[in-house]
Amino acid sequence: MVADCGANCARWLLCLANFIFICVSTGVLIVGTWLAADKASFINLTLNITTSKYSPASPFVSEDAEKILKEFVEPAVIEQAAYILIAAGAFILVISFLGYCGAIKESRVLLTAYGIFLIIIFALQITLILLCTLYKSQADHHSKGFLKSTLSKYYTTGDNKDAVTLSWDLIMAQMSCCGVDGYEDFRTARLFVEKSSAEGLGRQVPESCCILTGDPLLLNPADPSCIISPTQSNSYLSTGCYTKFSFMVTENLNLVIGAVVVVAATQLLAIIFSFCLCRAVGQERDYYYKY
């Protein structure tokens, strides 16, 4: 065990931080695996816990909340969320495990691997920021292209909405926008056009593009005719979500920069602590071997 006070502080800070990440990532991984293996039991358990009259949560769950919850535990949404949770949980768990075991066992190999992984992640983040800054127009073009492809390939309406559709509905309802660049994006949304034709209502836009009343998550248009005849007065048909998001980032640039600085500083501290502890362990072992 290292005797140096600074190295000991670094050791226990690394242990504490990585132990927290291990607990969180393990929980995420367990939930993700459960969803992938047996999503039916998860759906039933979630609905029973929250909607049963004997549940402690039942007094706080209204009928509107039940409706929202049932949409988000549709099998299609659960299946897509499961793989995201498994990937994220496994990635964080591996790196946190290296940091925790390396610090607690004072292993130079594990600490070095942990530090190198963090350096790679940090370098990728810096590279991404620089590329987005230097090639802003190309980044905007590719980002819009990706977002529009999610609309054209996956966005739908009616029952059995998937995770992409629910995510877009949530974004548009909360941000008061419509599509990537506007309502015309839905004309190329294949599944949306097919479902709209089958409805026979002459739908032009989803409810989430309309000016809503009540809880935005319930998607209740203030003007019921909005989905058929969207106008500037009853919808956000010409307000694209990409432009709205860019404006929000510009308006809150100080917060964005602050968040980036905090994340970068945390990663740098973890890198410094890991290599400082690794160096202290090496020096102490050299001392014992020498004397």
Side-chain angles (χ1 to χ4, degrees):
M1 181 176 177
V2 291
D4 182 72
C5 180
N8 262 318
C9 288
R11 180 191 181 207
W12 291 114
L13 282 172
L14 283 174
C15 286
L16 177 62
N18 284 290
F19 179 75
I20 293 171
F21 277 110
I22 286 173
C23 292
V24 172
S25 58
T26 301
V28 170
L29 193 58
I30 289 171
V31 172
T33 305
W34 181 17
L35 294 179
D38 189 12
K39 55 181 173 285
S41 67
F42 178 84
I43 293 172
N44 291 332
L45 181 64
T46 304
L47 293 176
N48 288 337
I49 288 175
T50 53
T51 61
S52 170
K53 64 179 181 179
Y54 301 108
S55 168
S58 61
F60 307 103
V61 181
S62 63
E63 291 183 6
D64 292 341
E66 286 185 31
K67 179 183 175 183
I68 297 168
L69 180 64
K70 286 177 181 178
E71 283 187 346
F72 277 91
V73 294
E74 286 289 336
V77 179
I78 292 294
E79 186 173 354
Q80 292 164 358
Y83 298 117
I84 295 172
L85 291 175
I86 290 172
F91 180 74
I92 297 170
L93 180 62
V94 169
I95 295 177
S96 301
F97 182 79
L98 287 175
Y100 179 78
C101 289
I104 202 75
K105 303 296 287 185
E106 296 182 358
S107 168
R108 298 181 68 186
V109 174
L110 294 179
L111 285 170
T112 302
Y114 175 70
I116 290 172
F117 269 119
L118 290 182
I119 288 172
I120 292 171
I121 294 169
F122 185 77
L124 289 174
Q125 290 171 340
I126 297 297
T127 304
L128 181 61
I129 292 171
L130 289 175
L131 288 175
C132 288
T133 304
L134 295 173
Y135 302 98
K136 187 176 184 302
S137 58
Q138 293 94 324
D140 286 342
H141 175 73
H142 288 297
S143 298
K144 281 187 177 182
F146 169 74
L147 293 172
K148 286 187 177 184
S149 70
T150 62
L151 276 178
S152 62
K153 292 179 181 178
Y154 305 111
Y155 190 87
T156 185
T157 187
D159 298 328
N160 300 321
K161 292 181 179 181
D162 62 7
V164 174
T165 302
L166 287 174
S167 298
W168 268 111
D169 282 342
L170 180 63
I171 291 169
M172 292 189 289
Q174 293 292 341
M175 293 179 59
S176 301
C177 56
C178 186
V180 180
D181 287 322
Y183 78 103
E184 292 184 352
D185 292 333
F186 291 98
R187 293 179 178 176
T188 58
R190 182 176 56 83
L191 295 176
F192 176 79
V193 172
E194 290 176 359
K195 289 287 184 72
S196 298
S197 300
E199 277 183 332
L201 299 175
R203 178 191 291 271
Q204 301 297 314
V205 294
E207 289 83 355
S208 49
C209 279
C210 300
I211 295 175
L212 304 173
T213 182
D215 189 340
L217 293 177
L218 295 176
L219 305 180
N220 290 326
D223 180 2
S225 65
C226 166
I227 60 172
I228 302 169
S229 304
T231 63
Q232 295 288 353
S233 60
N234 65 9
S235 70
Y236 306 104
L237 79 166
S238 60
T239 305
C241 291
Y242 193 86
T243 304
K244 190 74 177 283
F245 178 75
S246 300
F247 177 76
M248 288 173 63
V249 170
T250 304
E251 285 287 296
N252 299 281
L253 195 58
N254 290 335
L255 291 175
V256 174
I257 293 174
V260 171
V261 169
V262 168
V263 171
T266 304
Q267 290 176 331
L268 278 175
L269 281 175
I271 292 169
I272 293 169
F273 284 170
S274 63
F275 284 114
C276 283
L277 180 57
C278 186
R279 181 171 177 271
V281 170
Q283 287 179 336
E284 183 149 333
R285 287 179 182 172
D286 289 343
Y287 176 82
Y288 281 122
Y289 288 146
K290 187 175 181 180
Y291 297 103

